[in-house]
Amino acid sequence: MTTTDTPSTTQAVTPELRRWIIDQAEAGFAAPVILQAMIDAGWREDTAAHAMEATLRSHLAQATGNGTGSDMPDGVEVPMPALDDSPLYIDVGDRQVHVLQVMTSPRVVVFGNLLSDAECDALIAEASPRMKRSLTVAIKTGGEEINADRTSDGMFFSRGETPVVQALERRIAELVRWPVINGEGLQVLHYPPGAEYKPHYDYFDPTEPGTPTILKRGGQRVATLVIYLNEPARGGGTVFPDINLTVAPKRGNAVFFSYDRPHPATRTLHGGCPVIEGEKWIATKWLREREFT
């Protein structure tokens, strides 16, 4: 039994590709057969696996009533680190970033050695004088507001504001293969003992009245990179409740995750665990569909 030709060999995950994957599954082809057909047609294995699993998961959710055509937005292209052949390291030009853990569905990658100790110290020092109670996007209006679920202090750097920020933004762009201009300004957050950020999604809810205003600045968020700038004595990990994963806050490391649509089916629910002892400093980089202005 052979599958039909794929509609395209481009690496963009298009609606046409998702329709083709569903057609193959409904025709009775097993997932490994569909995956191999995509690889044979020129798709990178990591892109093919991610596209296939995300598409079939969403299709199953709709078929079983856990998602419907009205509340399941179309998927879009997302940042994608080069993870073919299970690399130990990714060369980003000015350093070798370690690949410590990879999950395909949802796409979650833990990186090591993204920042040096000196760069971590510099970001904390540059951010410290500007820290204020953290705000979240006000989904009702498109502005900002204090959220009781987020008990940290924070600030934003403008894109390319300092040499360290500029170097990090170039590094991230190379690492996840996404333009620098599509990134929001780097946010630095400080969590004292007891502070946390309860589980939430980073995308903007399409059903909220403020979302159209937010999306004018660069479209939806499609990926997040959380970077650990220090190591709390206890607590402070990043938890993904839907997949039973907790990432330890190791200095210089980062966790990356992408979401191809603003919907819980992406399983990207995540939160910052309470700091039990010590303090936690992180930097967060959100990536948009288009240029962020």
Side-chain angles (χ1 to χ4, degrees), residues 104-283:
T104 301
S105 180
R107 171 62 75 199
V108 179
V109 186
V110 180
F111 292 113
N113 195 43
L114 180 63
L115 283 177
S116 68
D117 287 350
E119 288 172 321
C120 291
D121 288 341
L123 284 176
I124 292 173
E126 292 167 352
S128 292
R130 296 161 57 179
M131 305 299 286
K132 297 180 180 179
R133 173 67 188 269
S134 296
L135 301 176
T136 60
V137 174
I139 56 179
K140 301 295 184 185
T141 65
E144 293 181 319
E145 63 184 1
I146 291 177
N147 187 330
D149 289 342
R150 188 179 208 180
T151 54
S152 61
D153 295 325
M155 58 78 66
F156 277 93
F157 288 105
S158 60
R159 207 164 49 219
E161 181 176 335
T162 73
V164 173
V165 170
Q166 191 174 70
L168 176 57
E169 288 173 338
R170 286 197 303 264
R171 199 175 296 160
I172 292 170
E174 184 69 23
L175 180 66
V176 303
R177 300 186 292 188
W178 207 247
V180 169
I181 60 173
N182 289 20
E184 297 182 24
L186 187 73
Q187 184 185 43
V188 174
L189 295 169
H190 173 236
Y191 291 80
E196 65 179 319
Y197 193 2
K198 294 179 180 178
H200 59 282
Y201 298 99
D202 281 353
Y203 57 72
F204 304 114
D205 188 342
T207 67
E208 293 292 345
T211 294
T213 298
I214 298 168
L215 299 186
K216 290 178 181 179
R217 299 190 65 189
Q220 269 288 357
R221 286 175 175 167
V222 289
T224 302
L225 192 71
V226 178
I227 308 162
Y228 306 106
L229 303 180
N230 81 320
E231 297 175 10
R234 286 195 299 152
T238 303
V239 62
F240 294 82
D242 288 348
I243 55 176
N244 298 316
L245 174 66
T246 300
V247 179
K250 173 68 176 175
R251 188 183 205 197
N253 288 7
V255 58
F256 165 86
F257 52 99
S258 60
Y259 27 98
D260 65 349
R261 66 197 72 207
H263 195 278
T266 58
R267 297 192 296 166
T268 54
L269 185 70
H270 65 286
C273 297
V275 175
I276 300 172
E277 182 181 352
E279 59 181 358
K280 180 176 77 170
W281 287 84
I282 64 170

Side-chain angles (χ1 to χ4, degrees), residues 46 80-84 86-100 102 109-114 171-172 174-177:
D46 61 335
M80 185 73 67
L83 299 172
D84 287 342
S86 301
L88 290 174
Y89 311 100
I90 296 178
D91 186 349
V92 294
D94 60 350
R95 72 194 294 110
Q96 294 282 317
V97 175
H98 305 172
V99 180
L100 303 179
V102 176
V109 186
V110 180
F111 292 113
N113 195 43
L114 180 63
R171 199 175 296 160
I172 292 170
E174 184 69 23
L175 180 66
V176 303
R177 300 186 292 188

